[in-house]
Amino acid sequence: MRLTLHALTPDSPDLDPVVALFCAQMREHDLPDAPDRVRAGVLDAARRPEVSRIVVARRDAAVGVALMHLLPSIEWGGRALWIEELYVAPEHRRSGVARALLGEALRYAREQGAAGIDLETTPGHAAAEQLYAQAG
């Protein structure tokens, strides 16, 4: 199946699937998956395209998601793109979805003139660390 990427908008039919993906991510990280709180955060980001962007990866349905923000940065001397979240449903991992989401984040950072990119990984997530290292 062909992979497509698009930015989430507040009225997108992918809103519920995106909330479900972020809740699944939180459960994987042993964090409380409060769907109402996640939905509120997703909607807040989707309503502020000047500073936040949620990218949805779709095959038949939403299979991955990335949340990023443009923020002022002293470290970078200008705006930086912070990749807050990047998540792929387990059954779609190692199929290019994360690479496509990261590629879109890098493209968006260049388009917006970001001076740098910040992200974090949880210790023990070797696949994420490898993905980010390969991207430089």
Side-chain angles (χ1 to χ4, degrees):
M1 253 166 264
R2 186 170 167 261
L3 182 70
T4 61
L5 302 174
H6 68 90
L8 186 78
T9 60
D11 60 346
S12 171
D14 278 328
L15 178 62
D16 289 336
V18 164
V19 169
L21 285 167
F22 281 133
C23 285
Q25 179 188 31
M26 294 181 79
R27 285 190 303 276
E28 280 189 35
H29 291 265
D30 295 322
L31 297 169
D33 69 329
D36 290 342
R37 189 177 68 216
V38 171
R39 180 188 249 356
V42 166
L43 282 170
D44 188 43
R47 288 179 179 134
R48 300 209 255 170
E50 69 281 2
V51 294
S52 297
R53 183 174 178 94
I54 298 173
V55 178
V56 183
R58 288 187 57 86
R59 290 219 162 104
D60 278 359
V63 298
V65 65
L67 170 61
M68 58 201 81
H69 311 281
L70 289 164
L71 302 171
S73 172
I74 294 169
E75 178 183 345
W76 290 103
R79 289 191 314 165
L81 185 75
W82 175 39
I83 301 174
E84 181 181 354
E85 308 292 349
L86 194 152
Y87 180 76
V88 177
E91 63 273 19
H92 293 277
R93 292 179 184 162
R94 302 225 177 255
S95 68
V97 177
R99 188 177 327 275
L101 287 166
L102 181 57
E104 178 60 15
L106 296 174
R107 185 201 65 72
Y108 180 69
R110 284 190 299 274
E111 176 185 286
Q112 296 300 312
I117 297 173
D118 288 314
L119 54 85
E120 63 186 16
T121 61
T122 304
H125 283 93
E129 292 170 8
Q130 181 181 11
L131 172 71
Y132 297 138
Q134 287 175 347

